[in-house]
Amino acid sequence: GPLRFFVQGVAGGFLGGYKKLHFHQQAREYGILEDRDLWLIQLKLSSSERKALLAELAAVEGELFSYAFFTENCAFYLQRILANAVRPLAEPWGVVSPAGVMNLVVESGLAERSYFRPSISNQLSATLPSLSQSFQEQLKRENWRTLAGNAPWLQRRSMDERTFLQQFFHWKSLHLTAPLDLKTQGGLALLRRLNAENDDSVPLEFDPPSPGEPTPHPNFHRYGRLTVSSSARSGSASRFSVKLRPAQHEIDDPWMGYRPLNTLELLTTEISGSVDGADIRLEEFTLFEQRSLVPMSSLNASPSWWVEIAANRGGLFGPDRLYSG
């Protein structure tokens, strides 16, 4: 169940191992099946460093290692095997994040080039405004399976619209849990045939050239943040506070590497006290908070959600009361 999965993941109750995959396999899983944006960094390795990296991978093949979400996670093990093979990359310690490892590689001078591969939904969303308004309205009004099974409608579409539909229908069909009806299957087959037969125009291009569009090295932020602040209220003594956020991403962080308005916090703690060191008290404790605010569109109708287990001081009934929920 989800609760046990969460607890075991944080506490280190899983095992993991190294696996070599072809690039196109991982790009398809992340960019299409999981609809993720991908930032890629090409390593600048000498032939001896490349051999050392392959030797490190061969040495751990088939071995299993303890996995914990914030510390001994996939980013930790990737950094460790790179550090063993390539200097001057440091050994991982403490809370390790994928974005932190990316930053470390760039700062260590090991990054040759960087690339960006937008997710399939972002590619489709960027292309849709270039197509006719009537076509966009029809996508909003009707279920994609209804459109896919409408052979006369498909035959009237332009080459650009059919190229878009082939990508769009393919993406939607990957997440079905039941077989398509025969009419829809026939429409998809017709669409593929029409696109294959029409060679007199250049169709829209979707997939960026492998490995992706060249981009400047991204500036990712690390997981943890320590904040020290002070405050004053009329009629009360000034206070100082110390806040530790050991987790991943909040609204105020730069969103590079994460979707905007997707956040995850765990064990965030803020303690405050008066200037003379007395009256120490808890201001905030977030056991777990995660939100995913998804823009709704004709292409993507994933629901937004927010889960939080926390205690915070201040609110409707005064600044000194501690609320939890």
Side-chain angles (χ1 to χ4, degrees):
L3 182 59
R4 184 181 174 192
F5 181 85
F6 168 75
V7 172
Q8 282 193 239
V10 172
F14 293 118
L15 297 175
Y18 292 95
K19 186 177 183 181
K20 288 190 290 184
L21 295 172
H22 292 293
F23 174 78
H24 73 272
Q25 290 178 291
Q26 200 65 51
R28 179 177 182 270
E29 179 177 338
Y30 282 162
I32 298 178
L33 297 180
E34 297 185 12
D35 196 36
R36 297 194 203 182
D37 297 322
L38 299 183
W39 279 265
L40 308 164
I41 290 180
Q42 181 180 1
L43 297 177
K44 182 167 55 180
L45 300 179
S46 65
S47 57
S48 60
E49 288 171 331
R50 185 177 293 274
K51 288 177 183 177
L53 181 57
L54 292 173
E56 287 290 336
L57 287 169
V60 295
E61 187 174 359
E63 287 192 44
L64 294 177
F65 302 89
S66 174
Y67 175 95
F69 182 77
F70 285 108
T71 51
E72 294 180 335
N73 53 24
C74 21
F76 172 93
Y77 286 109
L78 288 175
Q79 182 179 340
R80 187 166 79 172
I81 207 161
L82 281 172
N84 289 342
V86 182
R87 298 299 175 185
L89 202 67
E91 288 275 350
W93 63 275
V95 175
V96 183
S97 74
V101 176
M102 296 280 265
N103 251 358
L104 188 63
V105 167
V106 172
E107 292 167 359
S108 301
L110 293 173
E112 185 167 358
R113 297 183 187 88
S114 295
Y115 301 92
F116 174 65
R117 288 179 70 91
S119 67
I120 184 63
S121 67
N122 273 348
Q123 292 181 51
L124 291 165
S125 296
T127 305
L128 187 58
S130 68
L131 303 175
S132 69
Q133 191 64 37
S134 60
F135 178 77
Q136 296 179 48
E137 291 298 326
Q138 199 145 11
L139 276 184
K140 291 178 184 178
R141 285 196 312 268
E142 298 192 40
N143 183 277
W144 72 268
R145 279 172 283 195
T146 303
L147 294 175
N150 188 340
W153 182 78
L154 293 175
Q155 290 173 319
R156 293 194 301 271
R157 304 281 55 85
S158 68
M159 182 61 179
D160 281 351
E161 289 172 344
R162 292 203 306 267
T163 302
F164 176 92
L165 288 173
Q166 188 165 341
Q167 291 280 349
F168 178 56
F169 292 160
H170 172 64
W171 175 50
K172 286 292 189 181
S173 66
L174 291 172
H175 302 282
L176 293 175
T177 56
L180 287 168
D181 60 86
L182 293 178
K183 192 174 181 181
T184 304
Q185 290 182 44
L188 294 178
L190 171 66
L191 185 61
R192 289 194 295 270
R193 181 170 62 79
L194 290 171
N195 287 348
E197 288 175 350
N198 194 334
D199 294 326
D200 57 358
S201 63
V202 179
L204 292 171
E205 292 186 3
F206 280 88
D207 292 330
S210 186
E213 298 291 350
T215 184
H217 294 321
N219 180 25
F220 294 103
H221 73 85
R222 291 178 167 81
Y223 271 9
R225 174 175 291 172
L226 180 67
T227 306
V228 180
S229 59
S230 62
S231 62
R233 217 168 59 234
S234 177
S236 303
S238 298
R239 300 184 66 81
F240 70 93
S241 66
V242 178
K243 180 177 180 178
L244 175 63
R245 190 206 74 198
Q248 186 176 19
H249 185 64
E250 63 181 12
I251 288 290
D252 295 331
D253 289 319
W255 66 269
M256 178 67 75
Y258 305 92
R259 292 289 177 89
L261 303 184
N262 283 7
T263 68
L264 170 63
E265 290 196 57
L266 183 73
L267 303 179
T268 296
T269 306
E270 181 178 5
I271 303 292
S272 76
S274 56
V275 175
D276 59 7
D279 190 23
I280 303 295
R281 70 186 190 189
L282 178 69
E283 295 289 337
E284 176 189 350
F285 177 70
T286 300
L287 177 66
F288 177 76
E289 187 263 5
Q290 187 169 14
R291 87 184 85 192
S292 176
L293 305 183
V294 183
M296 304 289 280
S297 71
S298 55
L299 302 182
N300 196 349
S302 300
S304 298
W305 52 272
W306 182 17
V307 177
E308 182 179 49
I309 306 171
N312 288 275
R313 195 174 296 279
L316 185 62
F317 299 107
D320 296 318
R321 184 169 172 184
L322 190 67
Y323 300 85
S324 61

